[in-house]
Amino acid sequence: MDRTQQNLLAQKFAAMHNPKDLPMLCNAFDGGSARALASHPRAKAIASASYSIAISCGSADNDLTLEENLAGVKGIIAAGVNAQPHPKPVTIDLQDGYGSHLERAIEEIIKLGAVGCNIEDFNRETNALWSVEEAAQRVARAKQTAARCGGGAEVGLDAAIKRGKAYLAAGATTVFVWGGGRVVQSAEIKTLVKEFGGLLNVSMQLREGFLNKQEIQALGVARVSMGPGLYTKALNAFSSEADAIL
């Protein structure tokens, strides 16, 4: 895929982030799962999940290195680039952006063919959140790098809104608000949708008793991802079959 085609794909992916064209991102965990998604007519885009990549290479999510992540997503990106009849956008979970290696991380996934990424505002080196200003600067740096290439602590809702608005102002396409180990509630989602002008990304829980696609879409979010949900289901099925055999 040449750079012009990649730029057009990036523009297409960015335009998907709205309630009317709600992108449901099933997170792939390797090249095979990504190819399955790439061949699905209703899969508009493909995403990776760092947790799944880490487990696949025998690491913990917080210990996943940039090199390991890049190696893990290579096949995922290739599946999107080579999708038929047209390439599909691939967005990569870059965790916290890997500290001072942020620009390199962005450059490397663009070289592989990705057109999007998500970056946490949590600094793994200090085990604390970046300040709002620092995190917003990192979003801006990521955007600048993409353009140049051609392509811990509990936070309350008010603080999350302040941070999210700063990141959107810095050029982020959407904002994902982590629930700090709990599921973000419907009322909170409604507030975040209102404050972010709909530019909110939520993670859908693939379990009974949680919001489904239609219910989430009705809240007005701009993007839905599964995180490691599909990977976990696949592992559970694998374990169940192995248990039956053994």
Side-chain angles (χ1 to χ4, degrees), residues 3 7 9 26 31 37 46 57 60 78 89 130 147 156:
R3 189 55 52 82
N7 286 340
L9 200 60
C26 293
L37 292 171
I46 302 169
C57 67
W130 295 97

Side-chain angles (χ1 to χ4, degrees), residues 35-121:
R35 284 194 294 273
L37 292 171
S39 64
H40 198 292
R42 291 197 299 275
K44 298 177 181 178
I46 302 169
S48 74
S50 64
Y51 176 89
S52 306
I53 299 297
I55 297 301
S56 295
C57 67
S59 180
D61 193 18
N62 287 339
D63 296 329
L64 185 69
T65 66
L66 173 57
E67 286 69 26
E68 289 173 333
N69 201 355
L70 290 173
V73 302
K74 187 175 182 180
I76 294 174
I77 297 174
V81 170
N82 297 317
Q84 297 297 327
H86 305 292
K88 290 190 175 181
V90 180
T91 181
I92 300 301
D93 181 350
L94 280 182
Q95 300 187 295
D96 67 345
Y98 302 100
S100 61
H101 301 292
L102 174 62
E103 282 80 3
R104 179 180 164 237
I106 299 295
E107 290 170 356
E108 292 296 334
I109 62 170
I110 289 176
K111 287 179 184 177
L112 291 173
V115 298
C117 71
N118 55 282
I119 302 172
E120 302 165 1
D121 56 1

Side-chain angles (χ1 to χ4, degrees), residues 118 121 174-179 184 196 199-203 225:
N118 55 282
D121 56 1
T174 56
V175 174
F176 175 80
V177 177
W178 184 55
V184 177
F196 297 155
L199 300 179
L200 178 70
N201 174 28
V202 300
S203 178
S225 57

Side-chain angles (χ1 to χ4, degrees), residues 6 18-19 26 37 40-41 60 73 84 87 114 122 129 139 158 175 189 191 199 208 232 245:
Q6 188 175 11
N18 66 80
C26 293
L37 292 171
H40 198 292
V73 302
Q84 297 297 327
F122 186 78
L129 289 169
V139 172
D158 289 342
V175 174
I189 293 176
T191 298
L199 300 179
E208 291 292 331
T232 301
I245 293 170

